[in-house]
Amino acid sequence: MNILVINAGSSSLKYQLLDTDSGEVMAKGLCERIGIDGVLTHTGNKSDEKFKFDIAMPTHKEAIQSVIDVLLDPEKGVISSMSEIDAVGHRVVHGGEFFSDSVIITEKVLKAIEDCVPLAPLHNPPNLIGIQACRDVMGPDVPMVAVFDTAFHQTMPEKAYMYAIPYKYYDQYKVRKYGFHGTSHRFVSKETIKFLGLDPENSKVIVAHLGNGSSISAVVNGKCVDTSMGLTPLEGLVMGTRSGDLDPAVLEFICKKENMDVSEMVRILNKESGLLGLSKGLSSDFRDLNEASENGNPDAKRAIDCLCYRIVKYIGSYVAAMNGVDAIAFTGGIGENAALVRKTVVDNLSYLGITLDEEANKARGEDKVISTPDSKVTVAVIPTNEELAICQETAELVKNQK
Ligand code: AMP
């Protein structure tokens, strides 16, 4: 089966066409500046050449049309007819309490995604626009699937997802922890169980997805029992530009001092905090900070120290929450590549009987155990692949429907 995976943002749209049998990426690309002018960058598998086109994209519909056109292009494309696209998998950010799994998109599903807009006002609307644009361009007969960032975390028990605030805010507005990056946490926890030969029905796994946005999850028998992101992706770890956890009273304190409103403060917590804020604006990118830190920059070092310390604390709390752990998996741009972060974290887990295999820790881009054979808990690098996960979940649903 060929599955088109779509990730629609407000002014951009990422796509990949994947072959489910081989897992091969047949083509991929990005539409940018939708609603402004329009740029399409495309790579097909016939060559590694990257093509860049200026195409008018007043709306997402023209963006999708240009994706279909380039996929069908005799020279730059990879298919000869739209019927070679068997289904479309859409990344949707927020499924609220409606969805604990991916679903075939129906009118009822669209309405539920719409109902979740107040929970993700910046993300769900462009996701919906992307789905509608695909339907307009590809017609109603191509099956479409919604794969939610929040779905995997819906198995969390009440004690993990409730905030200790007046219950009416949950009752009236569904204020609770939802968690994000669920597609990655599901994919990586499954892969960890498979790769390490753990018993899927008797396993405790911690997944540390560390990238520009980062989150950790605790997974018992393949089901998420806790995760670090919350009502929004702001809660939890120190991220590229997000603060993660902090005393909520900080908001009022700074707002009063700086004569600022709450929305502006929340923007600062999302866009100017985390590694960027801690490094006094040096960078939100781990590689930049690592290099600066190696050259003795104390601001970069502070940011990296805080990042690692928060990860250590979360892992410790999830070991406690699960009353033990069998395996810890690192994934995401930092988790897969930053040996220093993995070493700093794992060295602080020696109380669990974990020892790092320094040689194996040099690993990048492949499933790899990085703890020593006598380590009481196995630590591994497990690269994530969200597009492949969306493709697999889409294919499974569509096959079962047929
Ligand atoms: P992601 O959001 O998963 O794409 O991850 C982005 C983060 O991963 C950024 O902070 C990058 O600096 C970091 N990253 C990507 N590649 C490397 C690398 N080779 N070594 C260290 N950090 C990396």
Side-chain angles (χ1 to χ4, degrees):
M1 272 177 128
N2 296 335
I3 308 284
L4 181 62
V5 173
I6 297 286
N7 183 352
S10 56
S11 68
S12 70
L13 185 148
K14 283 190 218 149
Y15 65 93
Q16 278 197 11
L17 185 66
L18 292 112
D19 175 349
T20 48
D21 298 328
S22 62
E24 176 201 16
V25 179
M26 300 165 69
K28 64 178 177 180
L30 170 67
C31 300
E32 288 170 288
R33 300 177 61 85
I34 302 170
I36 306 167
D37 38 24
V39 181
L40 171 68
T41 317
H42 169 86
T43 322
N45 73 340
K46 284 183 190 156
S47 72
D48 270 347
E49 202 180 334
K50 226 180 194 174
F51 301 99
K52 204 166 180 177
F53 312 92
D54 292 325
I55 301 174
M57 295 177 192
T59 71
H60 285 68
K61 191 172 166 187
E62 290 80 15
I64 293 283
Q65 186 62 59
S66 64
V67 170
I68 300 295
D69 290 346
V70 77
L71 290 172
L72 288 169
D73 186 279
E75 270 176 42
K76 298 156 191 121
V78 288
I79 50 174
S80 49
S81 146
M82 201 152 76
S83 64
E84 289 175 49
I85 301 174
D86 296 291
V88 183
H90 291 272
R91 176 184 179 221
V92 179
V93 167
H94 219 304
E97 291 187 327
F98 296 114
F99 301 105
S100 53
D101 264 311
S102 305
V103 282
I104 302 258
I105 297 173
T106 60
E107 293 310 317
K108 212 171 136 197
V109 167
L110 288 174
K111 166 82 178 65
I113 298 174
E114 183 110 40
D115 288 346
C116 294
V117 166
L119 295 170
L122 298 180
H123 294 102
N124 274 26
N127 296 158
L128 280 165
I129 290 169
I131 294 169
Q132 197 50 53
C134 269
R135 285 176 138 199
D136 289 348
V137 172
M138 301 177 77
D141 295 334
V142 181
M144 310 231 173
V145 168
V147 179
F148 299 93
D149 271 19
T150 50
F152 181 59
H153 305 302
Q154 276 297 302
T155 47
M156 279 189 288
E158 188 183 41
K159 65 184 175 189
Y161 70 67
M162 283 305 294
Y163 293 124
I165 57 177
Y167 195 82
K168 62 180 180 185
Y169 299 125
Y170 170 68
D171 248 358
Q172 291 172 11
Y173 313 122
K174 294 284 170 245
V175 172
R176 51 160 281 181
K177 180 188 275 285
Y178 289 95
F180 297 86
H181 291 142
T183 312
S184 175
H185 285 285
R186 190 195 300 268
F187 180 86
V188 173
S189 56
K190 255 189 182 173
E191 183 65 23
T192 305
I193 289 169
K194 199 165 90 186
F195 179 63
L196 300 179
L198 300 176
D199 179 353
E201 299 304 320
N202 186 17
S203 57
K204 293 173 180 173
V205 175
I206 291 175
V207 175
H209 176 114
L210 312 175
N212 190 34
S214 299
S215 62
I216 298 204
S217 63
V219 182
V220 175
N221 306 338
K223 296 205 168 19
C224 177
V225 295
D226 209 341
T227 192
S228 58
M229 282 179 166
L231 172 74
T232 77
L234 186 54
E235 190 180 345
L237 298 173
V238 173
M239 307 178 219
T241 59
R242 294 190 195 116
S243 62
D245 296 339
L246 81 171
D247 177 350
V250 166
L251 271 86
E252 190 200 19
F253 187 90
I254 297 180
C255 282
K256 277 190 174 161
K257 290 274 180 207
E258 298 267 317
N259 196 19
M260 221 160 37
D261 67 15
V262 176
S263 306
E264 174 60 3
M265 192 60 220
V266 171
R267 190 195 65 75
I268 290 171
L269 294 176
N270 271 299
K271 303 277 186 203
E272 294 179 12
S273 302
L275 296 177
L276 183 66
L278 284 164
S279 67
K280 295 190 187 167
L282 189 62
S283 179
S284 61
D285 190 282
F286 179 78
R287 277 168 296 194
D288 295 344
L289 294 173
N290 198 26
E291 197 186 323
S293 176
E294 279 174 359
N295 290 327
N297 184 314
D299 300 322
K301 183 174 182 308
R302 175 191 316 114
I304 294 174
D305 285 349
C306 291
L307 169 92
C308 295
Y309 181 64
R310 187 85 54 92
I311 299 166
V312 167
K313 285 211 299 187
Y314 260 99
I315 290 178
S317 73
Y318 285 172
V319 173
M322 296 194 293
N323 191 12
V325 63
D326 299 311
I328 299 169
F330 285 96
T331 196
I334 295 174
E336 290 168 33
N337 296 295
L340 170 78
V341 172
R342 296 193 300 250
K343 179 172 164 46
T344 310
V345 171
V346 173
D347 283 352
N348 274 284
L349 300 173
S350 56
Y351 69 95
L352 290 171
I354 302 181
T355 34
L356 186 72
D357 179 336
E358 303 264 354
E359 197 50 39
N361 191 37
K362 291 177 184 158
R364 269 169 51 172
E366 54 169 348
D367 286 4
K368 180 109 183 167
V369 172
I370 58 165
S371 51
T372 56
D374 61 347
S375 186
K376 294 233 166 54
V377 176
T378 310
V379 183
V381 174
I382 306 283
T384 192
N385 189 337
E386 288 175 84
E387 287 79 14
L388 179 62
I390 294 174
C391 161
Q392 287 170 344
E393 293 190 26
T394 302
E396 211 172 292
L397 277 170
V398 171
K399 266 185 210 154
N400 289 340
Q401 195 199 29
K402 278 187 177 164

